[in-house]
Amino acid sequence: MFLLICGGVVAVYLLLCVTILKIPKCKSTAKLHGKTVIVTGANTGIGKATALDLARRGARVILACRNENKAQSAVADIQRETGNKEVLYMHLDLESLQSVRSFAENFLKKESRLDILINNAGLLMGGKTKDGFGMIFGVNHLGHFLLTVLLLDRLKECGPSRVVTVSSLAHLWGKVDFNCISTHKDLGLGNSDFALLRMYSHSKLCNILFTHELAKRLKGTNVTCYSLHPGAIKTDINNNSTLLWRLVMTPTMLLFFTDVDSGAQTSIHCAVQEGLDPLSGSYFSNCAVGKVPAKARDDATAKKLWEVSERLCGLA
């Protein structure tokens, strides 16, 4: 009986692995020779896998990262695996709005093109940014918001071009509390694992609302934008969590989360798949358009979030 139960559990698990947990591959064979791409947080995880694929397609790929040693190691890995020497590192610390500005200024001086911007970096940890914002809010939303706005003119000049922002299914549990943002410069309060997970969910909702509003502002241009859920992926996003949280999540990730190459597929799809222009502003999952709740496509909330973000970033 015990063996039968174990066999049944294994069979169900294997079935899940080849159905629900399996992420389809991007089918596009598009080449990117002569194109320039920025991928934030590209020194590890989904970002590195995304950069690797785009480099393999011939793009000039800029790894926008905070940690130079890890980024240079990733550059060497990608160049070796793809034979593409047009892969380089540029310093970007999304915890600092000044660093975002410096990156954009440096990029615009040195690079003549920008065809694809992939806002990939994300974290799940407490603390404050250098500008006093909640860490999750500052890095996952505000840093990418400012980066995108500062690079929009170059994207328009080089169109057709795309902005791809990595969100998460966690947006389903998110909300945007403007009173909390105004009072505490954060999406929520608390430093427990549960509180941080809630704030992470809020930030992922912000990613989708940002894309929703960005698409409206880009109408009539040759720039399109997309947000996405990469899937349940084995990454190091939990490295800064408590020991108890890691003890819970590590076996879960080992059993039910998939690899970073699979996790990069929807990002790659949104970056290169032909025929997506009419779907600008959409949310993708498993390399296809996904449904989002009404709160993630609310025009008033998206517009207000944009205006608040402008003010917090010193743009208004």
Side-chain angles (χ1 to χ4, degrees):
M1 179 63 71
F2 176 74
L3 291 176
L4 284 175
I5 294 173
C6 288
V9 170
V10 170
V12 170
Y13 174 70
L14 291 175
L15 181 62
L16 286 172
C17 287
V18 299
T19 54
I20 296 174
L21 301 179
K22 185 176 177 61
I23 298 174
K25 283 191 172 294
C26 173
K27 295 178 180 179
S28 174
T29 59
K31 298 300 181 183
L32 299 174
H33 299 284
K35 306 290 188 181
T36 298
V37 181
I38 294 173
V39 184
T40 68
N43 62 331
T44 188
I46 296 170
K48 183 178 178 183
T50 302
L52 177 68
D53 181 279
L54 301 180
R56 191 172 280 129
R57 294 172 187 266
R60 179 175 174 82
V61 183
I62 301 200
L63 278 58
C65 309
R66 181 180 62 176
N67 189 308
E68 181 173 1
N69 290 335
K70 290 182 178 179
Q72 294 289 16
S73 177
V75 166
D77 288 346
I78 294 171
Q79 288 184 347
R80 183 179 61 253
E81 289 192 43
T82 65
N84 183 347
K85 300 303 180 184
E86 295 293 301
V87 180
L88 60 149
Y89 154 76
M90 288 180 64
H91 182 262
L92 171 65
D93 183 357
L94 289 163
E95 292 181 31
S96 164
L97 296 181
Q98 181 53 52
S99 177
V100 175
R101 285 190 167 86
S102 295
F103 172 89
E105 182 180 359
N106 189 31
F107 175 85
L108 293 172
K109 282 181 180 177
K110 293 183 176 180
E111 301 290 332
S112 61
R113 296 196 62 85
L114 178 57
D115 302 273
I116 304 169
L117 169 62
I118 301 183
N119 295 318
N120 165 83
L123 52 70
L124 174 58
M125 63 181 292
K128 297 288 185 179
T129 69
K130 295 176 174 66
D131 304 286
F133 301 109
M135 187 68 74
I136 292 171
F137 179 43
V139 172
N140 294 6
H141 171 64
L142 284 179
H144 282 127
F145 171 85
L146 179 60
L147 178 67
T148 303
V149 171
L150 293 177
L151 296 176
L152 270 184
D153 285 344
R154 182 59 53 83
L155 284 161
K156 291 175 183 177
E157 291 168 8
C158 300
S161 53
R162 298 183 182 186
V163 178
V164 178
T165 300
V166 178
S167 179
S168 168
L169 187 66
H171 77 272
L172 292 172
W173 299 279
K175 66 177 182 179
V176 182
D177 185 339
F178 290 108
N179 288 329
C180 189
I181 292 174
S182 176
T183 305
H184 301 285
K185 299 175 75 173
D186 207 346
L187 294 170
L189 300 176
N191 280 303
S192 68
D193 287 329
F194 178 75
L196 294 177
L197 189 59
R198 285 296 304 273
M199 283 184 267
Y200 178 81
S201 299
H202 302 334
S203 75
K204 295 292 104 177
L205 176 59
C206 287
N207 292 154
I208 298 176
L209 288 166
F210 160 64
T211 301
H212 181 78
E213 177 66 15
L214 179 61
K216 291 181 177 297
R217 292 170 181 258
L218 289 173
K219 280 185 178 178
T221 74
N222 50 8
V223 185
T224 54
C225 58
Y226 315 93
S227 62
L228 66 102
H229 169 54
I233 311 301
K234 299 184 184 85
T235 69
D236 56 6
I237 195 169
N238 293 302
N239 282 359
N240 296 297
S241 302
T242 63
L243 176 61
L244 178 60
W245 181 259
R246 293 199 301 274
L247 287 173
V248 171
M249 287 304 298
T250 298
T252 303
M253 291 177 71
L254 286 173
L255 287 173
F256 298 107
F257 286 31
T258 190
D259 60 274
V260 294
D261 290 333
S262 296
Q265 294 306 307
T266 305
S267 293
I268 297 163
H269 176 85
C270 290
V272 304
Q273 183 64 47
E274 302 84 349
L276 296 189
D277 289 9
L279 300 172
S280 185
S282 297
Y283 167 84
F284 283 74
S285 179
N286 289 327
C287 295
V289 175
K291 293 182 179 180
V292 294
K295 65 182 178 180
R297 44 188 167 82
D298 183 85
D299 291 340
T301 303
K303 184 174 184 290
K304 185 172 182 178
L305 177 64
W306 184 284
E307 293 168 349
V308 168
S309 300
E310 278 187 323
R311 188 181 73 250
L312 293 176
C313 290
L315 295 173

